[in-house]
Amino acid sequence: MFTPTDEQTQAADRFHAGDHMALQAGAGTGKTSTLALLAQSTHRRGRYIAYNRAIARDAVTRFPTTVTCKTAHALAYAAIGHRYARRLDAPRRPAWQTGRDLGITKPVRIEGHDVMPTTLSNTVLRTVSRFCHSADPTITDHHVPPLRGLDSPTARSQLATIALPYARKAWQDLQREDDGIVRFDPDHFLKIWSLTSPRISADFLLLDEAQDTNPVVEHIFNTQRDHAQLVLVGDSAQAIYHWRGAKDVMNGFDGTHLTLSRSFRFGPQLATEANRWLAIAGAPIRLTGTDTMPTELGPLATPDAILCRTNVGAMKHVMNHLAAGTRVALVGGGDSLRALALAARDLKDGRRTSHPELVLFPTWGTVQEYAAHDPCGRDLQPLVDLVDTHGTDAILTAVSRLTTEENAQVTISTAHKAKGREWERVQVADDFTPPKDTDQQDSQGRPIPGPIDDSEARLAYVAVTRARRCLDRIGLSWVDDHPDGNP
């Protein structure tokens, strides 16, 4: 047991009063310990809905037996997903085979681009996935994902018109319990369960990582309000997965809003740096560090972890450290980078690729031109630079030489994949670039930088709060000279 802070005591008081609550819990503030404290203070039956299976397994050891700790997918499986067990064991199939069985057999032409059957098949399956992550009752055109190269509203509308009938046919196929064309996965039975208006049997529900909740889980959770006390916990400033359909459900929640602001992970100096980014992001919380854990800010020659803005930036550090003879681990492994490198190699060798990021490009030269000159392709420029500088074979070799984190001398990660992690000594990489300059000048004739995007500020906040003992923020030092850098 531990001595609760005043904020934790206040949360316990409101919990005992029966309030629905949204608990803003900053980095390292002990959110799981707080939820366990609430659960241990009552004999009522509860459900803890975890973000993933690893968190759920850990929670079982921390919560009383009156609380069931599961993911939303596990709840859905117990209720309805087990009926699809036979389909869940089906072998993997290439998207083009599934598309062929749905009737996608010929290319379609959209604004000068030939969209091949493989590309259209991938688009249809991604449309179904986006629908499953939503709270929507039917598949509509806004579930159809964009394709690089089809950037105009007219092209997107034409793509939706073609893809939607196949996506609806795929969803109809997924309703069959015995067998079907489309490979069945857990997101499918979660969505099917959500459409039945399920009732979760519990006196209270605890939803963790609420800032990154899929709308389908939010819908299931909120519909329990009539019979169960609802408690959300998360950190709105760590809402960094909007690009893949996640939604921060904290701020708009109808209930008592409280905060946990004392971090037990790091000291006051790092808390000050974290608060800088919280202010820039317009976050509803500020942190206080722990005096007994003094965290230093300064250069690091041998960090335990290097956090990068992009996968390409992470790969650059992987290759540099491997060249120096360092044992390197990459959080999440190198599968996504391997896939991009293989796609680039196909294009360089004159072959088309099925990779969704590069599928519409006939050659590597067209990718280079798109990244250099098209505003929609600027985020591809780091990949182009990496391939052009090192070559695809060197990238593939580097990925094959990665080791496990247990055996590594340095762990490299994107900031996205570092969320929920912590290390003693952390360095922020140099691919956290400042905003581009505006066309205005200050009193000394220097260009005025553009504003810092909220999402970039949230990602920087995640990066700087992964350290316990020492933070080298070299990749973010540009903020000291930015007009918004000292709010």
Side-chain angles (χ1 to χ4, degrees):
M1 294 298 293
F2 62 93
T3 301
T5 65
D6 291 343
E7 291 174 326
Q8 290 170 326
T9 299
Q10 184 182 17
D13 290 343
R14 299 321 308 162
F15 178 72
H16 293 149
D19 292 11
H20 298 299
M21 292 194 302
L23 197 56
Q24 285 280 358
T29 56
K31 62 183 178 65
T32 305
S33 299
T34 303
L35 292 180
L37 174 70
L38 303 185
Q40 290 162 358
S41 66
T42 180
H43 295 294
R44 294 182 296 156
R45 297 175 303 111
R47 297 266 190 172
Y48 170 79
I49 303 176
Y51 187 68
N52 57 42
R53 283 184 293 178
I55 294 174
R57 285 195 298 268
D58 178 69
V60 169
T61 66
R62 306 178 67 174
F63 282 81
T65 56
T66 51
V67 176
T68 303
C69 303
K70 291 187 176 181
T71 64
H73 285 91
L75 293 174
Y77 184 84
I80 205 170
H82 63 276
R83 302 176 190 171
Y84 299 86
R86 177 177 172 183
R87 293 193 65 173
L88 285 166
D89 293 332
R92 293 186 179 274
R93 302 181 72 206
W96 67 266
Q97 288 185 358
T98 302
R100 180 196 60 193
D101 292 344
L102 289 171
I104 303 172
T105 58
K106 297 179 180 179
V108 295
R109 193 159 182 84
I110 301 177
E111 286 199 347
H113 290 282
D114 286 326
V115 180
M116 304 305 290
T118 297
T119 304
L120 184 56
S121 299
N122 276 314
T123 301
V124 167
L125 296 180
R126 290 171 63 201
T127 298
V128 174
S129 293
R130 287 161 61 100
F131 165 66
C132 288
H133 293 156
S134 76
D136 302 325
T138 57
I139 300 177
T140 62
D141 54 0
H142 76 269
H143 298 121
V144 179
L147 279 179
R148 287 192 185 276
L150 299 181
D151 303 309
S152 72
T154 301
R156 290 196 294 269
S157 176
Q158 290 180 19
L159 178 65
T161 299
I162 294 167
L164 279 176
Y166 294 113
R168 289 167 180 152
K169 184 177 180 179
W171 181 242
Q172 186 177 17
D173 172 85
L174 288 165
Q175 312 305 301
R176 299 172 55 185
E177 296 180 5
D178 52 351
D179 200 4
I181 295 169
V182 184
R183 188 173 189 271
F184 200 89
D185 69 38
D187 282 347
H188 297 143
F189 66 66
L190 177 63
K191 181 64 176 180
I192 293 170
W193 184 51
S194 77
L195 294 174
T196 67
S197 300
R199 177 187 173 95
I200 300 175
S201 178
D203 299 316
F204 62 90
L205 298 178
L206 309 173
L207 178 63
D208 202 356
E209 299 289 351
Q211 80 282 349
D212 285 325
T213 300
N214 280 335
V216 64
V217 176
E218 177 199 13
H219 171 72
I220 294 169
F221 182 78
N222 280 333
T223 55
Q224 313 305 312
R225 179 181 288 263
D226 62 339
H227 71 276
Q229 183 182 8
L230 305 183
V231 179
L232 295 168
V233 63
D235 185 354
S236 291
Q238 294 191 55
I240 58 175
Y241 287 114
H242 292 292
W243 53 274
R244 71 179 191 191
K247 177 183 177 184
D248 177 13
V249 303
M250 299 287 293
N251 292 325
F253 183 72
D254 181 14
T256 300
H257 287 250
L258 300 174
T259 60
L260 298 178
S261 61
R262 181 184 175 187
S263 179
F264 302 98
R265 179 180 299 161
F266 45 74
Q269 191 176 2
L270 199 151
T272 299
E273 178 67 16
N275 287 337
R276 180 213 299 259
W277 294 104
L278 288 169
I280 294 171
I285 194 172
R286 298 294 181 269
L287 297 180
T288 301
T290 299
D291 292 331
T292 56
M293 294 189 64
T295 309
E296 299 178 355
L297 273 63
L300 278 172
T302 56
D304 298 315
I306 300 174
L307 306 186
C308 304
R309 173 66 183 84
T310 64
N311 281 319
V312 173
M315 198 61 202
K316 287 182 178 179
H317 282 275
V318 166
M319 297 178 76
N320 289 339
H321 280 275
L322 287 174
T326 306
R327 297 191 305 276
V328 181
L330 181 66
V331 173
D335 288 346
S336 61
L337 286 163
R338 181 186 293 108
L340 280 167
L342 289 171
R345 186 169 70 181
D346 285 343
L347 293 174
K348 289 168 74 72
D349 290 343
R351 298 187 298 271
R352 300 296 290 255
T353 176
S354 61
H355 194 288
E357 287 292 302
L358 303 175
V359 69
L360 289 180
F361 297 95
T363 65
W364 182 247
T366 56
V367 177
Q368 292 170 315
E369 183 178 356
Y370 178 76
H373 303 296
D374 193 314
C376 296
R378 287 174 182 165
D379 62 321
L380 280 180
Q381 191 62 56
L383 170 66
V384 171
D385 292 342
L386 183 71
V387 171
D388 290 346
T389 301
H390 299 282
T392 55
D393 289 344
I395 297 170
L396 292 168
T397 299
V399 169
S400 69
R401 293 175 57 196
L402 293 170
T403 187
T404 62
E405 290 189 48
E406 293 78 12
N407 295 324
Q409 294 169 287
V410 62
T411 296
I412 294 172
S413 176
T414 62
H416 283 96
K417 291 179 181 175
K419 194 165 79 72
R421 303 286 302 275
E422 56 185 64
W423 293 271
E424 291 293 309
R425 299 172 299 169
V426 172
Q427 183 180 77
V428 179
D430 58 3
D431 62 341
F432 283 83
T433 54
K436 295 184 180 298
D437 291 338
T438 66
D439 56 4
Q440 299 177 324
Q441 296 181 334
D442 62 17
S443 58
Q444 299 179 6
R446 295 173 300 189
I448 297 177
I452 301 172
D453 185 78
D454 287 355
S455 62
E456 294 299 315
R458 290 195 296 271
L459 195 60
Y461 163 69
V462 170
V464 300
T465 54
R466 299 308 96 194
R468 288 193 292 259
R469 297 296 180 185
C470 188
L471 172 70
D472 181 350
R473 62 184 193 97
I474 183 65
L476 291 167
S477 58
W478 53 262
V479 75
D480 296 335
D481 300 319
H482 193 279
D484 299 335
N486 294 284

